[in-house]
């Protein structure tokens, strides 16, 4: 298994597989394990129904009872338009094929829209944990707007048999305060009804691009988004891999004043290595007590290599898994299954260790 992983990583294999972090030590974080729910969530305010729902997620699929998760997310029919998302593989206009891919691919759960999961719930909700994405950014309003609004209620998710709900907050956007309030209320109700919660902690503001550098995926800004996410009781945080650092510093150049930071974030708590940058994201999730899953990203020419690389970085940083959609469903189902399995093999491989 490790040789196949090395093959996918190519020239980056040695750097990624042997890196030893000198920033936040692995001994200080809570790493995923078969006893993760017992070790963390039994001490929280989550009720027994939430614990059972979480166990259904961590106990399903090829990664069952490892502490790691592989989730198939398909909400792009709303977020990116159905045509743009499914034209490469029109079979996925049929909602049932989304669920079939998650099951055949050995995923822990499937996250999608109310419509997709409601249409298939009586056939599959007892076979794989359902995660209803309750808010979306739609791309039909002219001109396009960028605002996550509620498409579904928590009660609707509960009624169709969902084990959890998911939501997005666009941190940094003018609408983020309203979104934060809406999602916090939704998460509270979901927990009351026994469902777990996943937060897509994304940044969105054109001002986060400075001098041609995009800081939407800087470690310091995404880390703070994660920290706000766990504050409203997200049980899992979804975040993009960090690609740089110094977002706060860039936004405070000239006469501007933005946020608060500390030079030790950049000199002691991170380096420019992707595993160390991701470790900082994990640290902001209560030192790993709330699991960090990394986004799989858009589909491209090197999907298998990119997905495996992302999984290796996430795992070695102390993350809990990958949530990958377009790379899997924008190809024939057998290839999508193969890609999901390649991701899962990283988490099943004992040779890929915590950095």
């Amino acid at each position: 298994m490790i040789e196949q992983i090395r093959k996918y990583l190519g020239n980056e294999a040695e750097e990624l597989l042997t890196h030893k972090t000198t920033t936040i030590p692995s001994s200080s974080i809570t790493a995923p394990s078969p006893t993760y729910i017992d070790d963390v969530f039994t001490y929280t305010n989550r009720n027994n129904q939430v614990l059972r729902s979480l166990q259904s997620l961590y106990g399903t699929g090829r990664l069952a009872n490892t502490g790691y998760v592989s989730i198939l997310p398909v909400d792009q029919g709303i977020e990116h338009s159905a045509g743009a998302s499914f034209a490469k593989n029109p079979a996925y206009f049929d909602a049932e094929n989304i669920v079939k891919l998650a099951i055949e691919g050995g995923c822990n759960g499937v996250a999608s829209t109310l419509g997709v999961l409601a249409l298939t719930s009586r056939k599959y909700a007892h076979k794989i944990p359902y995660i209803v994405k309750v808010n979306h950014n739609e791309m039909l309003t002219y001109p396009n707007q960028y605002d996550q609004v509620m498409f579904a209620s928590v009660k609707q998710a509960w009624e169709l048999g969902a084990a959890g709900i998911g939501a997005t907050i666009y941190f940094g956007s003018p609408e983020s305060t309203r979104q934060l309030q809406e999602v916090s209320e939704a998460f509270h109700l979901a927990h009351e009804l026994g469902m777990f919660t996943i937060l897509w902690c994304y940044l969105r503001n054109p001002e986060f691009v400075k001098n041609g550098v995009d800081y939407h995926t800087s470690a310091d800004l995404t880390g703070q988004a994660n920290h706000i996410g766990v504050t409203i009781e997200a049980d899992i945080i979804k975040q993009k891999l960090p690609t740089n650092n110094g977002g706060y510093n860039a936004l405070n150049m000239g006469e501007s004043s933005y946020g608060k930071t500390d030079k030790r974030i950049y000199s002691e708590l991170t380096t420019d290595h992707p595993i160390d940058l991701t470790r900082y994201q994990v640290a902001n999730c209560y030192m790993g007590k709330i699991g960090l899953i990394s986004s799989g990203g858009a589909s491209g020419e090197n999907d298998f290599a990119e997905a495996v690389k992302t999984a290796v970085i996430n795992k070695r940083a102390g993350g809990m898994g990958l949530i990958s959609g377009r790379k899997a469903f924008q190809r024939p189902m057998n290839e999508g299954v193969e890609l999901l399995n390649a991701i899962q093999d990283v988490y099943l491989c004992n040779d890929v260790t915590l950095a």
Side-chain angles (χ1 to χ4, degrees):
M1 191 179 292
I2 188 61
E3 290 308 316
Q4 182 60 53
I5 293 171
R6 285 183 176 275
K7 183 177 178 181
Y8 281 130
L9 295 177
N11 294 334
E12 296 180 282
E14 196 68 19
E15 177 191 2
L16 292 175
L17 292 173
T18 64
H19 174 72
K20 295 182 180 180
T21 186
T22 58
T23 57
I24 300 168
S26 60
S27 59
S28 66
I29 67 171
T30 298
S33 73
T35 59
Y36 167 71
I37 294 176
D38 291 338
D39 296 341
V40 174
F41 278 97
T42 55
Y43 296 98
T44 70
N45 64 342
R46 276 53 156 192
N47 62 44
N48 289 345
Q49 299 291 350
V50 175
L51 298 184
R52 183 168 65 179
S53 295
L54 281 168
Q55 185 57 55
S56 73
L57 180 73
Y58 289 96
T60 298
R62 293 185 72 225
L63 299 181
N65 304 313
T66 63
Y68 292 104
V69 295
S70 166
I71 297 173
L72 177 72
V74 187
D75 61 353
Q76 288 87 347
I78 303 299
E79 297 280 341
H80 303 154
S81 90
S85 300
F86 304 137
K88 288 183 180 180
N89 194 354
Y92 288 98
F93 277 109
D94 184 341
E96 185 171 1
N97 285 327
I98 293 171
V99 183
K100 284 182 176 178
L101 174 60
I103 293 173
E104 292 296 319
C107 293
N108 298 69
V110 56
S112 196
T113 65
L114 173 68
V116 166
L117 299 180
L119 189 70
T120 59
S121 60
R122 290 192 183 275
K123 189 171 183 179
Y124 296 108
H126 59 293
K127 296 180 180 179
I128 185 170
Y130 272 22
I131 304 156
V132 177
K133 184 72 164 31
V134 295
N135 69 355
H136 301 285
N137 175 58
E138 55 85 14
M139 298 291 286
L140 197 57
T141 301
Y142 185 88
N144 285 155
Q145 297 178 354
Y146 298 94
D147 185 12
Q148 290 285 329
V149 297
M150 289 293 178
F151 270 55
S153 71
V154 176
K155 187 177 180 183
Q156 286 174 302
W158 176 76
E159 287 174 340
L160 66 82
I165 67 166
T168 298
I169 294 176
Y170 283 156
F171 290 102
S173 71
E175 300 81 15
S176 62
T177 300
R178 191 206 77 243
Q179 294 168 9
L180 185 61
Q181 293 170 325
E182 290 175 347
V183 173
S184 179
E185 291 177 5
F187 280 8
H188 177 68
L189 180 56
H191 282 153
E192 281 190 334
L193 295 175
M195 294 181 287
F196 60 80
T197 59
I198 303 178
L199 185 63
W200 278 239
C201 285
Y202 287 169
L203 305 183
R204 185 177 288 276
N205 192 310
E207 293 300 320
F208 289 171
V209 180
K210 291 293 184 184
N211 299 319
V213 180
D214 190 348
Y215 292 100
H216 280 93
T217 50
S218 69
D220 54 350
L221 297 183
T222 56
Q224 180 60 21
N226 292 358
H227 199 71
I228 297 174
V230 295
T231 300
I232 62 169
E233 294 193 334
D235 299 319
I236 297 173
I237 294 291
K238 178 190 177 187
Q239 184 58 269
K240 298 176 182 179
L241 276 187
T243 58
N244 54 36
N245 207 356
Y248 278 115
N249 294 333
L251 290 165
N252 277 290
M253 293 176 67
E255 297 179 359
S256 64
S257 177
Y258 174 74
K260 298 286 185 182
T261 191
D262 188 303
K263 63 182 181 181
R264 284 165 290 200
I265 294 173
Y266 316 104
S267 62
E268 298 178 20
L269 301 183
T270 61
T271 70
D272 60 359
H273 196 285
I275 292 173
D276 293 342
L277 294 175
T278 308
R279 173 67 57 84
Y280 184 71
Q281 290 183 337
V282 171
N284 275 278
C285 297
Y286 296 151
M287 281 295 189
K289 282 188 168 65
I290 299 300
L292 173 69
I293 54 177
S294 296
S295 171
S299 181
E301 295 182 0
N302 302 304
D303 283 346
F304 279 78
E306 290 177 2
V308 168
K309 176 181 176 179
T310 302
V312 168
I313 292 170
N314 172 274
K315 184 181 182 182
R316 299 211 67 219
M320 188 165 276
L322 218 59
I323 181 165
S324 184
R326 281 171 287 173
K327 281 181 167 57
F329 72 74
Q330 289 185 335
R331 59 180 67 247
M333 185 171 289
N334 65 321
E335 293 182 14
V337 168
E338 185 181 353
L339 185 139
L340 291 169
N341 289 169
I343 291 169
Q344 294 152 9
D345 284 346
V346 172
Y347 295 96
L348 292 171
C349 180
N350 293 330
D351 292 313
V352 180
T353 59
L354 203 61

